[in-house]
Amino acid sequence: MKKYKLCLTVNGIDYMLEVNAGETLQDVIRDHLNLTGTKTGCDSGACGACTVLMDGMAIKSCLVLALQAEGRKILTIEGLAQDGALHPLQEAFVENWAIQCGYCTPGMILTSKALLDENPNPSGDDIRMYLSGNFCRCTGYQKIIDAVSSVRPLQGGRHGKK
Amino acid sequence: MKDMRYIRAASVTEVTDCLKKYGDKAKILAGGQSLVPLLRQRLARPGLLIDISRVADLKFIRKTKNTLKIGALTTHRQLETDPLIREHLPILADMEKQLASVQIRNLGTLGGNLCHADPAGDVAPALMALGAKLKLISATGARTMSVENFFKDFFETAIRPDEVLAEIDIPLLPDLGHAIYIKHSSRGVDTAIIGVGTFILKDHDTDTCKEIRLCVGAVGPVPIRAKNAEAVIRGKVVTGKTIAEAGKKAREEISPVSDLQGSAEYKKELIEVFIQRALKAASSGRRK
C-alpha cells in the first residue's frame, strides 16, 4: 500500500506523517495523533461532531482527506485552552449547562469559534444558522445558543463573558 | 480504496494530462464534500485521485460586460459572501445560504457540486434558470455546453473521462429580469425535497412575460424544465389565475420519483405548490 508524506500543523505543533490516500483528516487527528476530542459521529458529513478549524475555517474532518490538509493549520478542541485557562466559549458552555452527554460539544464549540471570529456579535438567528450543521442528539440546543450568546467581544479583538 | 493512489495537480495542464493518461480509472477530487463520503462507503473506488483543489487558475469570480465568469473551484461559501455575486446575481447567494451547512460550504465547490450531479442538488436548477454555460477542458481542447444539456441521469453528466469542468459562465440579468431559487427540506441543512429555480423577464411596456424558465430539482434523475407550465405564462401578464394554471400544468407534466426525502405522491403536491410560490415571488416586481 502506497504511503504519502503529509506535513501539517495541529494545535501549533508541526507534524510530518505518513498516510494512505484514503485516510481522512479525522483518521489522522484521532488515530495518528491520538487527539480523541474530535469525535466521530455519522462519518458522512451530517452531524458535525468531527468539526475542526482548518486555517480558521470550520470544516468537517470526516469529509476531508488527510492529504487535502497538506500545509494547513488545524485547531482541535485540545488546542483551544491557553496555558491551562479555558477559552471563553468553553467557560460559557460550562456555565450555561450547554453540555449534556458532551459528544457534540467539541464540534459545537469550534463551529461557534469560527462564527465569533467572523461575526463578533451574532444574533440568535445567526447562531442557529451557523450551528445548523452540528447535531445535538440530546437536543440541548437552547442552552448551547444561550452559551454562545453569552460570549461577547472584549477590547483587543478577544472574547469574554457578557 | 487501499491501493488508491493520489496526485496533487498544480495546473490545469497537469490535470488534463493526467486525465488523458488515466481516463476513467481516475477521479477528480475538488472540495471532496461529495466524493469523500462515496469513497468511505466504497460507492466510488477509483484507482487514482487527482486532487485539483490547489489549482489557482480555477478559482475566480470575474465580471465581463454581459456575464459573470466563475472558476469551477470557487467554493459555495465564496459565492454566498462575494460582493459581485450579491450585486449581480443575488439568486446565487440566496441559493448558497440554503445549501448544506457552513462547514460543507467552506470546502465544497461549484464545479464539484455540478459534476457530482446529485438530482437533489441546489446549484443545478438555479444555474439552469439563469441559462448558465459550462466550459469543459481536455488535453485536446475546450468545449462549451449549457447546464441544461449537462445532466444525463442520476449522478451522470455529459463530461468525458478526459475532461475537467473549468468555468461556469452566467449571463447577467437583463434590466427587468428576475431570478430566484426556493427550496423545501426537512431541516435547513438537508438535501432538497424539491428545489425550484425561476427566471422571468417582463416587457417594460405591456408587463407581459417575455421569457421564462422554470427548473425543478429533486423530482427526477436530472433537473427538469417545466415547459408546459412555462408555456402558460409566456406572452401573458402574470396573474393569480395564470400562476394557478401553471402550477397545475407542472404537476401534470412532471412524474417525480420517490427518494429518501419524500414520496412521489408528496413531491407531486409540492411541484404545484412550489411552482406557484416561485412564480409569485419571481413576478412580484422586485428587481433581480
Side-chain angles (χ1 to χ4, degrees):
Chain A
M1 198 189 306
K2 183 155 169 50
K3 293 274 185 186
Y4 294 84
K5 205 177 79 177
L6 169 68
C7 297
L8 78 175
T9 308
V10 180
N11 302 334
I13 301 169
D14 295 334
Y15 292 93
M16 196 192 285
L17 306 162
E18 286 203 326
V19 300
N20 303 326
E23 280 185 282
T24 62
L25 179 59
Q26 170 185 261
D27 297 332
V28 164
I29 291 169
R30 288 180 55 87
D31 301 340
H32 290 246
L33 306 180
N34 292 322
L35 294 169
T36 53
T38 301
K39 299 304 177 195
T40 302
C42 65
D43 206 7
S44 58
C47 78
C50 68
T51 300
V52 300
L53 303 192
M54 183 157 87
D55 291 344
M57 269 185 330
I59 54 127
K60 298 187 174 181
S61 61
C62 76
L63 289 185
V64 179
L65 292 182
L67 290 167
Q68 287 177 278
E70 169 71 27
R72 305 289 191 213
K73 287 187 172 55
I74 308 296
L75 179 72
T76 73
I77 194 70
E78 290 91 343
L80 201 52
Q82 293 295 316
D83 305 322
L86 290 180
H87 186 276
L89 270 166
Q90 291 172 306
E91 279 182 25
F93 269 61
V94 172
E95 282 175 16
N96 287 275
W97 297 88
I99 302 164
Q100 291 186 45
C101 83
Y103 205 82
C104 73
T105 310
M108 288 284 181
I109 289 180
L110 287 167
T111 310
S112 302
K113 181 177 187 316
L115 167 65
L116 294 182
D117 289 347
E118 233 176 84
N119 173 7
N121 277 303
S123 68
D125 276 350
D126 292 338
I127 297 169
R128 282 184 199 93
M129 287 293 285
Y130 212 91
L131 289 178
S132 62
N134 293 74
F135 294 178
C136 167
R137 303 292 190 193
C138 310
T139 72
Y141 290 104
Q142 190 53 50
K143 300 281 185 197
I144 292 168
I145 291 154
D146 292 345
V148 181
S149 306
S150 76
V151 180
R152 284 294 175 245
L154 297 173
Q155 281 186 339
R158 295 188 58 242
H159 278 86
K161 276 173 287 179
K162 203 172 349 191
Chain B
M1 188 153 82
K2 287 203 161 159
D3 45 15
M4 182 173 72
R5 286 173 310 121
Y6 172 94
I7 291 176
R8 186 179 295 122
S11 67
V12 178
T13 316
E14 202 181 327
V15 176
T16 51
D17 285 350
C18 266
L19 288 171
K20 189 180 169 191
K21 196 166 163 195
Y22 298 101
D24 56 10
K25 288 187 187 65
K27 190 98 184 128
I28 292 178
L29 174 72
Q33 303 303 286
S34 301
L35 181 56
V36 173
L38 292 185
L39 295 172
R40 297 289 270 194
Q41 293 160 24
R42 310 289 196 272
L43 291 169
R45 311 182 76 157
L48 172 71
L49 281 181
I50 305 172
D51 181 354
I52 65 169
S53 61
R54 316 253 168 156
V55 179
D57 284 352
L58 298 179
K59 299 175 189 178
F60 57 85
I61 299 175
R62 277 198 291 266
K63 188 176 165 291
T64 67
K65 191 161 169 266
N66 301 315
T67 64
L68 272 186
K69 291 181 183 297
I70 302 175
L73 285 181
T74 306
T75 65
H76 297 297
R77 188 72 175 154
Q78 284 162 345
L79 286 168
E80 183 187 351
T81 53
D82 186 87
L84 270 180
I85 299 286
R86 292 203 163 190
E87 185 186 344
H88 297 286
L89 293 170
I91 173 183
L92 290 185
D94 281 352
M95 177 273 292
E96 293 292 1
K97 245 182 259 165
Q98 302 175 64
L99 184 149
S101 56
V102 68
Q103 291 101 319
I104 287 173
R105 295 199 295 276
N106 275 334
L107 289 181
T109 66
L110 189 65
N113 182 292
L114 288 166
C115 292
H116 181 59
D118 186 328
D122 297 303
V123 172
L127 287 187
M128 250 168 85
L130 291 169
K133 288 195 164 61
L134 308 177
K135 187 175 170 193
L136 308 169
I137 297 185
S138 71
T140 50
R143 61 178 177 141
T144 303
M145 105 167 27
S146 72
V147 170
E148 204 170 333
N149 294 330
F150 185 65
F151 299 100
K152 294 296 169 198
D153 208 336
F154 290 102
F155 302 97
E156 271 185 41
T157 69
I159 201 163
R160 294 194 314 251
D162 67 334
E163 285 177 320
V164 60
L165 170 57
E167 184 181 298
I168 297 99
D169 283 4
I170 309 174
L172 294 177
L173 291 175
D175 264 354
L176 291 171
H178 190 195
I180 60 150
Y181 176 73
I182 58 171
K183 168 185 182 177
H184 187 55
S185 57
S186 309
R187 291 169 36 106
V189 293
D190 284 333
T191 47
I193 305 173
I194 187 171
V196 181
T198 306
F199 168 78
I200 285 190
L201 176 63
K202 287 191 199 168
D203 185 84
H204 183 267
D205 300 321
T206 61
D207 206 35
T208 52
C209 166
K210 278 165 77 175
E211 234 183 296
I212 179 159
R213 283 188 290 273
L214 290 168
C215 309
V216 195
V219 294
V222 298
I224 294 165
R225 269 192 65 182
K227 292 198 171 166
N228 295 348
E230 291 175 3
V232 172
I233 301 290
R234 195 174 289 114
K236 300 209 186 75
V237 177
V238 186
T239 62
K241 203 176 149 212
T242 48
I243 288 176
E245 200 188 328
K248 284 206 174 60
K249 282 282 181 209
R251 182 197 180 109
E252 282 165 24
E253 71 183 299
I254 299 172
S255 303
V257 285
S258 297
D259 60 27
L260 287 175
Q261 309 296 331
S263 68
E265 292 81 1
Y266 179 46
K267 289 189 183 221
K268 197 98 179 150
E269 296 290 329
L270 289 183
I271 290 168
E272 182 170 348
V273 173
F274 274 74
I275 286 285
Q276 289 175 358
R277 282 188 196 173
L279 282 168
K280 210 169 166 183
S283 63
S284 66
R286 268 190 307 144
R287 191 175 169 269
K288 285 177 185 169

